[in-house]
Amino acid sequence: RIKDRNNKRGPYGWQAPKHPNDILTTMRISHLLFSLGAFAPMTSTVHSFQVRLAGNLRSNALQRQLASVSTRLASSLGNEGEFDYDLVVIGGGSGGVRASRISSSHGAKVALLETRLSHGMAPQYSAIGGTCVNVGCVPKKLMVFASRYPGEIKEMEGYGWKGATPGQFDWKTFLENKNAEITRLNNVYNNFVLKNAGVEVIEATGSLSGPNSISVHHTSTGETSTITAKNILIAVGGWPFKPSIPGIEHAITSNEIFYLEEQPKRLVVVGGGFIALEFASIMDGLGSDVTLMYRKDLFLRGFDMDMREHLKEEMENNSKIDLRFNTDPKEIVKKDDGTLVVIDQDGNEVECDAVLYATGRKGKIDGLNLESVGVKTEASFIPVDEYS
């Protein structure tokens, strides 16, 4: 459970997942291999694999799959002195951490590059552990737990509890306790999960400078060095997407929402996926006035229709969220007092304190210099083959 500065339980009793592996996760790891004999007999081949992690990773099929990959890597070793490392992983999220740790356990000399080892610093926000740990499922769950208390207190009288009131939510107290928990997890990943497995963790951003070389841009010093590796793994994950409209620079995403100094009392959420719905519901539960704008006639496109309609009814009956379908923002205007105005396609205006865009994610391949070594991309993603 989250503890406050005095090592006591936080005021809302938040409980984080015991370990990142306890969360059902889908990892998609793109392997960029430029030399012979590691995972496949071809050079400059992009590979990937998808793995579903559940519980403590007891799945026999998963263990066989990871063991197969790591055994191939281990069997390809033996070029001591030719390269600095057997494997360099660019990206310290769920995929990169797992792949580097397992490879190291099979005897490979592994280095992992991650831009930040501590969360919260703009413009990266994320850090070691990836989106889930820093600006994803873990802090979001803490926000969900916090947002539920008013509803639970409201139900207490029916169970015989008299006089209970929600009180007042303190955004700063929540952020302080949330940040302490994410910092703890950063340290767990860096000092226990990776270093104990023999992985060298480098706080830096990597880009390709040749078939077997990586330019390492060190975060703390700003200096650049070069390392070589027999195998290079791209595991950089994704990044929130914002459309190009006038005033979009005033909007935030699921990165910044976890670090706002003040709780927005009026919030416009743009999007119709589960991230948009989660944050709309969370902020409504925490007391903000929320308007949800979605450009189609019903959110959660691609999900079961009965579930979509039921969720719409529940949000209409059990929240104060202003649902606006067939609404597409065309401009965001910032006023002199710092507040914002969202103008839709019909000229309707909504005043607010913050605008959160949850309109999808794209691959975070900018700056990797993939084109310099002939790696093909489709939009912002690296296409993979049947091995995936």
Side-chain angles (χ1 to χ4, degrees):
R1 293 183 181 274
I2 294 184
K3 303 296 180 67
D4 63 18
R5 286 182 175 178
N6 297 319
N7 230 16
K8 299 177 181 178
R9 184 178 302 177
Y12 303 102
W14 297 298
Q15 184 174 1
K18 295 179 181 178
H19 189 276
N21 288 345
D22 291 337
I23 304 170
L24 185 64
T25 308
T26 299
M27 296 196 314
R28 186 172 187 84
I29 307 174
S30 295
H31 291 260
L32 183 61
L33 305 176
F34 295 104
S35 54
L36 294 172
F39 298 99
M42 298 177 63
T43 60
S44 299
T45 303
V46 177
H47 291 292
S48 79
F49 60 87
Q50 284 190 338
V51 181
R52 291 194 70 80
L53 299 180
N56 291 318
L57 298 169
R58 298 188 180 93
S59 165
N60 292 331
L62 169 62
Q63 296 290 4
R64 287 195 299 270
Q65 194 170 8
L66 290 176
S68 173
V69 172
S70 298
T71 300
R72 291 187 191 185
L73 177 61
S75 67
S76 72
L77 307 182
N79 297 308
E80 277 189 49
E82 184 177 356
F83 301 109
D84 298 322
Y85 300 93
D86 300 308
L87 173 67
V88 168
V89 178
I90 303 177
S94 299
V97 167
R98 180 68 177 170
S100 61
R101 183 167 69 90
I102 295 298
S103 297
S104 180
S105 71
H106 283 271
K109 183 180 180 182
V110 182
L112 181 145
L113 309 182
E114 174 57 47
T115 305
R116 294 283 186 184
L117 301 184
S118 299
H119 69 100
M121 289 172 278
Q124 292 87 12
Y125 293 103
S126 188
I128 193 72
T131 296
C132 180
V133 169
N134 296 278
V135 288
C137 40
V138 174
K140 182 208 68 181
K141 283 182 173 64
L142 301 180
M143 293 186 83
V144 168
F145 297 154
S147 69
R148 287 179 176 174
Y149 283 101
E152 293 178 353
I153 292 173
K154 186 178 180 180
E155 295 177 351
M156 290 174 63
E157 187 171 358
Y159 292 91
W161 293 92
K162 303 293 186 180
T165 59
Q168 184 177 0
F169 177 71
D170 190 319
W171 178 265
K172 292 184 183 297
T173 296
F174 170 79
L175 287 189
E176 182 178 296
N177 291 328
K178 183 272 295 183
N179 289 338
E181 174 64 2
I182 305 307
T183 297
R184 184 186 71 82
L185 292 175
N186 289 154
N187 292 331
V188 167
Y189 270 89
N190 185 32
N191 296 315
F192 295 95
V193 175
L194 290 169
K195 288 185 179 178
N196 283 355
V199 177
E200 181 180 347
V201 180
I202 304 173
E203 189 175 38
T205 303
S207 61
L208 303 179
S209 55
N212 297 91
S213 63
I214 305 98
S215 294
V216 181
H217 315 283
H218 297 270
T219 303
S220 60
T221 65
E223 298 177 350
T224 299
S225 61
T226 300
I227 58 176
T228 59
K230 185 174 184 181
N231 306 288
I232 301 171
L233 187 154
I234 304 296
V236 292
W239 197 252
F241 167 77
K242 294 193 296 185
S244 180
I245 65 170
I248 194 64
E249 67 274 11
H250 304 308
I252 64 173
T253 69
S254 55
N255 288 338
E256 296 88 354
I257 186 68
F258 294 112
Y259 297 99
L260 295 179
E261 293 184 3
E262 301 288 340
Q263 178 183 352
K265 297 304 181 184
R266 300 169 299 171
L267 176 68
V268 170
V269 178
V270 182
F274 58 85
I275 294 178
L277 269 60
E278 284 177 327
F279 279 112
S281 299
I282 287 169
M283 298 307 292
D284 173 72
L286 296 179
S288 298
D289 293 329
V290 179
T291 300
L292 177 66
M293 296 182 176
Y294 180 50
R295 58 192 177 91
K296 299 291 186 179
D297 57 356
L298 186 60
F299 45 51
L300 293 180
R301 184 181 60 175
F303 285 76
D304 177 79
M305 180 56 74
D306 288 343
M307 185 273 290
R308 296 168 67 191
E309 292 176 344
H310 177 69
L311 183 57
K312 174 178 176 289
E313 293 174 1
E314 288 295 311
M315 293 179 73
E316 288 175 336
N317 295 329
N318 297 302
S319 80
K320 297 178 181 179
I321 300 172
D322 181 6
L323 300 177
R324 299 196 181 191
F325 297 107
N326 300 305
T327 301
D328 192 11
K330 293 302 181 183
E331 184 179 5
I332 303 171
V333 178
K334 187 171 184 178
K335 300 171 66 175
D336 292 339
D337 62 1
T339 60
L340 304 173
V341 179
V342 180
I343 305 173
D344 69 15
Q345 77 278 12
D346 297 322
N348 299 312
E349 299 183 357
V350 176
E351 293 189 2
C352 59
D353 302 304
V355 181
L356 187 152
Y357 263 77
T359 49
R361 296 174 69 85
K362 63 178 183 177
K364 196 179 179 183
I365 64 172
D366 294 344
L368 288 176
N369 200 27
L370 299 176
E371 64 281 358
S372 68
V373 290
V375 177
K376 295 180 180 179
T377 60
E378 294 180 2
S380 61
F381 296 96
I382 302 173
V384 296
D385 59 15
E386 292 180 358
Y387 180 78
S388 305

